[in-house]
Amino acid sequence: MAESSDRYDVAIVGLGPTGATLANLLGAAGLSVVVLEKEAGIFPLPRAIHFDGEVLRILQAAGLRDEALGISRPGEQGMHFVNAAGETMLIRGGTAALGPHGCANNYYFHQPQLEAVLRDGLARFPNVDVRLRHEVLSIEQDAESATLQVREAGADRVSTVRARYAVGCDGARSPVRRRMGSAMVDLGLKQPWLVFDVVLEQDVELPLHTVQHCNPARPMTYCNVVGNRRRWEIMVLPGDDREAMVQPASLWPMVAPWVRPDQARLERAAIYTFHSVIAEGWRNGRLLLAGDACHQTPPFLGQGMCAGLRDAANLAWKLEAVLKGRAPAALLDTYESERAPHVRALIELAVRLGNIIQTTDPALAAERDAKFRTGEPEIFELPPQVLGAGAFDATPGALAGRPFPQPRLDDGRLLDELLGRRSAVIGHAPALASAAPATAERWRRAGAIVIDRPDAALRDWLQSHQAHAVILRPDRYIVGVARTGFDLDRISQYLPVAP
């Protein structure tokens, strides 16, 4: 039995962190949104445990900064790669200092708590319709909209949902991706690991930082999560009995050097296969993909969920601009071209680190250790957050396509609190006045905020880059930097506006 159809601006399939973040951003933009989630509630056990400073800034854009800070802790100690002899080979840097996004560079959290924050956030928006226990049976599209056939669990009726765009945030086995026909490219790592989460019930002396135990006899990862939660990830070796591995009789002996069963409560033990894949084709007409539906990375950098929330931030402002008539639909084609290169770089780095961690041949491990033993431990950072080709000035050597920092302004506010969801033109008054009238009109049509008396922190940034003006997108990436009036007219053409 079918019922009458409902119409929305955007239909989101999946209410995990990526889908819930996208729904919050679109809800705040005033768009009509329906979220279709087949499960009845939040998965109650730990999964993702890390997000970075840019992700907190995205949550700030969704109006949830304080709530996210309330369920997380800053990660100030970094990550150490240690060989079987206890020697530190590699360090991913950690710091207590504020990073460029106006917060710490890293945070640790318990995923069910973050998902609750995101879902509670959706209750603010009467224009967001959340439908739990609703499974998408099919998706079709035409030139004007996507049509989804949906059934609620336990009901016979099939309802029809129509939306101008539909976004599959429906995970690694994404039905939306299958409907789009987007192929997955394997980047070279596929390995089962046992994930073992505990809650400490008494004080135990454990490292404050993350440790990658690069022991060829049994590679492991240790994570200090949040509160009393701790995690071990244990590589599954050939010949392991997977059913036996997840039983307490096998689990506790593997972590016996660090914790005993009388000191902690087992919360979860499960075997996952770590993948390194990326989809080709994140948009097909009215259908789009985000999060695990279009890329999956090994967890060695803690960037899986982060990548999904970056997708949501990139896509949200573009959908808003297109749906409100401020930009042509072709703007959505820049979503994959901008995001995919950074995602791929993160996956490839995770694969390289995985090859270091997962070395199980003692002779190869000895060679590896010897290479790292020649000096002080090597310190590495994540690949720079640089977009691929898209809606910004692609002049070689330009600062465009990178995130603009978020300083505190003279009145104590963070920059994004002033800018809101708008594009921004920031510069000295004489420089902005030198722009052509058509350029100023383009700023107006793009809905940009114009700041011609920048605060001290913004003046310092302009001076340090020998710039007279800078243009920012709503996702806080740099459109371009101007050093002359001609520059300002030229880079303003990258601000998307409707024809």
Side-chain angles (χ1 to χ4, degrees):
M1 176 179 178
E3 62 181 29
S4 61
S5 64
D6 296 316
R7 295 178 181 272
Y8 297 87
D9 289 322
V10 180
I12 298 172
V13 183
L15 191 56
T18 299
T21 299
L22 180 60
N24 272 281
L25 294 170
L26 296 178
L31 299 174
S32 61
V33 179
V34 61
V35 188
L36 303 165
E37 168 57 55
K38 66 181 180 179
E39 301 299 335
I42 295 169
F43 185 71
L45 298 177
R47 287 186 289 179
I49 60 172
H50 168 268
F51 62 79
D52 58 31
E54 186 179 14
V55 165
L56 183 64
R57 193 172 182 181
I58 292 167
L59 295 171
Q60 176 187 343
L64 299 171
R65 175 187 168 97
D66 290 344
E67 291 82 352
L69 287 172
I71 55 92
S72 62
R73 69 165 184 89
E76 301 172 351
Q77 306 296 325
M79 176 188 296
H80 294 217
F81 292 69
V82 178
N83 64 19
E87 300 169 321
T88 300
M89 302 181 294
L90 272 172
I91 296 174
R92 176 183 167 187
T95 177
L98 291 182
H101 298 287
C103 58
N105 285 330
N106 297 285
Y107 292 87
Y108 288 86
F109 71 104
H110 182 50
Q111 181 169 328
Q113 293 178 328
L114 179 62
E115 291 201 46
V117 163
L118 290 166
R119 294 191 184 195
D120 289 347
L122 293 176
R124 299 171 295 172
F125 306 117
N127 49 310
V128 177
D129 179 6
V130 176
R131 301 187 188 181
L132 302 177
R133 303 173 69 245
H134 279 69
E135 182 178 5
V136 176
L137 304 178
S138 67
I139 305 179
E140 301 297 334
Q141 64 170 319
D142 57 30
E144 300 298 325
S145 63
T147 302
L148 300 84
Q149 300 297 323
V150 182
R151 180 163 56 211
E152 184 176 4
D156 293 331
R157 291 187 303 180
V158 174
S159 60
T160 300
V161 172
R162 288 188 174 88
R164 294 171 68 186
Y165 290 95
V167 185
C169 303
D170 49 346
R173 297 180 179 87
S174 170
V176 178
R177 185 183 68 237
R178 290 200 301 270
R179 170 63 183 83
M180 291 170 58
S182 300
M184 297 295 274
V185 177
D186 192 333
L187 298 182
L189 189 148
K190 183 178 181 180
Q191 173 63 45
W193 280 67
L194 166 64
V195 179
F196 175 34
D197 288 285
V198 306
V199 178
L200 298 179
E201 296 188 323
Q202 56 183 270
D203 290 339
V204 181
E205 190 173 341
L206 291 166
L208 297 177
H209 56 273
T210 297
V211 183
Q212 301 285 0
H213 294 283
C214 306
N215 185 341
R218 175 73 75 179
M220 290 189 186
T221 300
Y222 159 79
C223 301
N224 171 17
V225 187
V226 65
N228 290 331
R229 286 191 161 85
R230 303 293 184 270
R231 170 176 291 181
W232 281 266
E233 295 170 355
I234 303 168
M235 185 172 166
V236 177
L237 301 177
D240 281 337
D241 183 333
R242 297 192 185 188
E243 290 188 7
M245 279 188 82
V246 298
Q247 300 304 314
S250 300
L251 290 168
W252 291 108
M254 286 190 283
V255 297
W258 303 283
V259 66
R260 303 188 308 269
D262 63 301
Q263 296 174 315
R265 170 173 54 85
L266 172 62
E267 189 170 31
R268 180 190 68 154
I271 291 176
Y272 292 89
T273 298
F274 296 165
H275 293 278
S276 57
V277 293
I278 186 168
E280 291 183 334
W282 297 17
R283 181 191 178 204
N284 179 338
R286 297 280 168 173
L287 308 181
L288 300 112
L289 300 172
D292 285 356
C294 53
H295 45 72
Q296 296 142 49
T297 180
F300 305 121
L301 289 171
Q303 284 292 310
M305 189 196 78
C306 296
L309 269 63
R310 286 189 178 95
D311 293 346
N314 187 289
L315 187 55
W317 77 268
K318 294 175 180 178
L319 282 170
E320 178 185 359
V322 170
L323 289 167
K324 290 185 176 180
R326 294 202 301 262
L331 177 63
L332 297 174
D333 291 329
T334 67
Y335 166 52
E336 179 178 0
S337 67
E338 288 184 350
R339 287 286 304 128
H342 185 248
V343 170
R344 189 179 186 113
L346 284 171
I347 296 174
E348 289 174 344
L349 177 56
V351 169
R352 290 196 297 274
L353 294 175
N355 290 335
I356 293 172
I357 298 162
Q358 295 182 155
T359 301
T360 56
D361 182 303
L364 292 177
E367 290 181 17
R368 173 201 66 196
D369 296 353
K371 291 177 183 177
F372 283 107
R373 198 177 285 130
T374 56
E376 293 295 317
E378 179 182 338
I379 298 177
F380 74 96
E381 299 293 347
L382 295 183
Q385 297 157 342
V386 182
L387 300 175
F392 59 90
D393 176 18
T395 301
L399 293 168
R402 301 171 185 268
F404 190 79
Q406 180 175 211
R408 284 212 175 267
L409 304 177
D410 293 348
D411 63 7
R413 287 183 296 173
L414 289 164
L415 173 64
D416 295 0
E417 296 176 59
L418 169 64
L419 302 186
R421 295 188 307 276
R422 298 169 289 187
S423 298
V425 180
I426 302 170
H428 302 296
L432 301 190
S434 71
T439 295
E441 172 62 14
R442 191 177 187 93
W443 299 342
R444 186 194 66 78
R445 291 170 60 201
I449 179 175
V450 177
I451 300 173
D452 60 2
R453 302 175 76 177
D455 286 40
L458 300 176
R459 292 197 303 270
D460 289 346
W461 189 93
L462 291 169
Q463 182 177 359
S464 67
H465 293 91
Q466 299 179 323
H468 292 157
V470 61
I471 298 180
L472 310 182
R473 307 182 338 177
D475 62 355
R476 302 296 155 251
Y477 277 73
I478 298 172
V479 173
V481 172
R483 297 181 174 88
T484 66
F486 174 78
D487 281 347
L488 194 52
D489 292 334
R490 180 180 60 81
I491 65 175
S492 293
Q493 299 308 304
Y494 291 97
L495 276 177
V497 296

